[in-house]
């Protein structure tokens, strides 16, 4: 693989239809869930990245144990966010054990860094999401909801599912919100008054609290 030895954040050449995985994931449930569905290439020295989708986009996977252990994951996120080479997607295991720590990483990732955050229940669900992201990579950049900065199509299932993770927001309300706000970041920065116009006062307050509650 082609990589700049002075900067582990890029670039890495990713063959079409493949995903380049950090060697530490070999044999994991996450990797096993992808075997046979997409082609995995394992390689050492990819830190802080866990998976490369392309030469310019990558995945940082935060396990339940990473959240419970503290804030060490933040350094990895910041390194990728500050890289001129990469656009990072953050996948986080939101479980019963890690749920209390989720608001902190959500606020840090979405509000402070402006990165995409996608919660999953476990590594098997994570592998399904990564497979979907790889398939999205085969689309033109302008049609990829995770890489483009323009208005997102509400028909995109992963983006819709992400918004549905917010308390009080079902599929219908998620669709309405994505018609009004062009990205997760814009939604997280919306005022209660702006949200009320779309989903009403009660749900607007839930959404606002979800994004602004203290760490």
């Amino acid at each position: 693989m082609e990589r700049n030895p002075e900067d582990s954040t890029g670039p890495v050449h990713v063959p079409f239809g493949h995903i380049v995985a950090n060697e530490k994931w070999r044999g994991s449930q996450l990797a096993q869930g992808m075997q046979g569905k997409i082609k995995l290439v394992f390689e050492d020295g990819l830190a802080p990245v866990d998976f490369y989708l392309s030469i310019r986009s990558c995945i940082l996977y935060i396990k339940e144990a990473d959240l419970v252990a503290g804030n060490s994951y933040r350094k990895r996120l910041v390194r990728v966010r500050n890289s001129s080479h990469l656009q990072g997607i953050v996948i986080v295991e939101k479980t019963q054990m890690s749920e209390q720590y989720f608001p902190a990483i959500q606020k840090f990732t979405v509000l402070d860094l402006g990165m995409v955050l996608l919660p999953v229940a476990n590594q098997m669900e994570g592998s399904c999401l990564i497979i979907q992201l790889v398939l999205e990579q085969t689309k033109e950049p302008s049609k990829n909801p995770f890489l483009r900065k323009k208005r997102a199509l509400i028909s995109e299932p992963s983006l819709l599912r992400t918004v549905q993770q917010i308390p009080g927001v079902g599929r219908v309300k998620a669709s309405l919100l994505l018609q009004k706000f062009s990205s997760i970041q814009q939604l997280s920065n919306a005022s209660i008054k702006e949200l009320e116009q779309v989903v009403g006062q009660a749900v607007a307050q839930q959404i606002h609290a979800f994004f602004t509650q203290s760490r």
Side-chain angles (χ1 to χ4, degrees):
M1 298 296 167
E2 300 172 7
R3 183 168 66 256
N4 184 343
E6 296 181 359
D7 183 2
S8 59
T9 61
V12 169
H13 172 68
V14 183
F16 186 77
H18 289 60
I19 185 169
V20 178
N22 193 308
E23 180 66 32
K24 73 178 184 179
W25 290 102
R26 186 186 292 273
S28 67
Q29 187 180 41
L30 187 61
Q32 290 174 3
M34 290 183 269
Q35 294 284 3
K37 301 179 179 67
I38 55 177
K39 296 180 180 179
L40 282 165
V41 178
F42 292 96
E43 187 173 347
D44 283 322
L46 297 185
V49 173
D50 292 302
F51 301 95
Y52 277 91
L53 300 175
S54 73
I55 195 171
R56 289 194 57 81
S57 60
C58 67
I59 291 172
L60 295 98
Y61 192 97
I62 311 298
K63 296 183 293 185
E64 174 190 76
D66 298 330
L67 284 186
V68 176
N71 297 329
S72 59
Y73 62 82
R74 294 190 178 194
K75 292 181 180 179
R76 293 206 296 136
L77 270 58
V78 170
R79 285 181 64 187
V80 171
R81 176 63 180 83
N82 291 340
S83 170
S84 61
H85 304 289
L86 290 173
Q87 291 173 303
I89 298 168
V90 182
I91 297 179
V92 181
E93 289 182 6
K94 184 182 179 183
T95 65
Q96 185 175 2
M97 182 178 294
S98 66
E99 188 171 8
Q100 62 179 309
Y101 306 99
F102 184 76
I105 188 172
Q106 182 182 52
K107 187 172 183 180
F108 181 72
T109 304
V110 178
L111 298 185
D112 296 346
L113 300 182
M115 299 173 71
V116 173
L117 183 147
L118 302 173
V120 295
N122 49 52
Q123 289 192 21
M124 287 306 295
E125 185 175 322
S127 65
C128 293
L129 179 56
I130 293 174
I131 290 169
Q132 183 176 351
L133 291 172
V134 173
L135 296 177
E136 292 287 352
Q137 279 296 135
T138 64
K139 297 182 179 181
E140 297 176 15
S142 62
K143 296 181 180 179
N144 190 323
F146 301 100
L147 300 181
R148 66 171 187 255
K149 295 183 179 179
K150 297 180 180 179
R151 189 180 189 85
L153 297 176
I154 63 173
S155 60
E156 301 292 357
S158 293
L159 188 59
L160 190 64
R161 186 178 68 169
T162 300
V163 177
Q164 286 179 255
Q165 298 291 326
I166 302 172
V169 178
R171 186 178 182 85
V172 174
K173 288 186 174 66
S175 297
L176 293 173
L177 287 166
L178 288 174
Q179 290 180 57
K180 173 72 173 179
F181 303 100
S182 62
S183 67
I184 295 295
Q185 187 174 8
Q186 280 198 14
L187 177 61
S188 66
N189 289 328
S191 66
I192 293 180
K193 185 176 181 180
E194 291 173 320
L195 294 168
E196 283 180 357
Q197 297 173 4
V198 182
V199 294
Q201 184 178 17
V203 177
Q205 291 177 344
Q206 283 184 286
I207 295 171
H208 191 263
F210 180 70
F211 284 115
T212 60
Q213 59 187 294
S214 59
R215 299 177 183 179

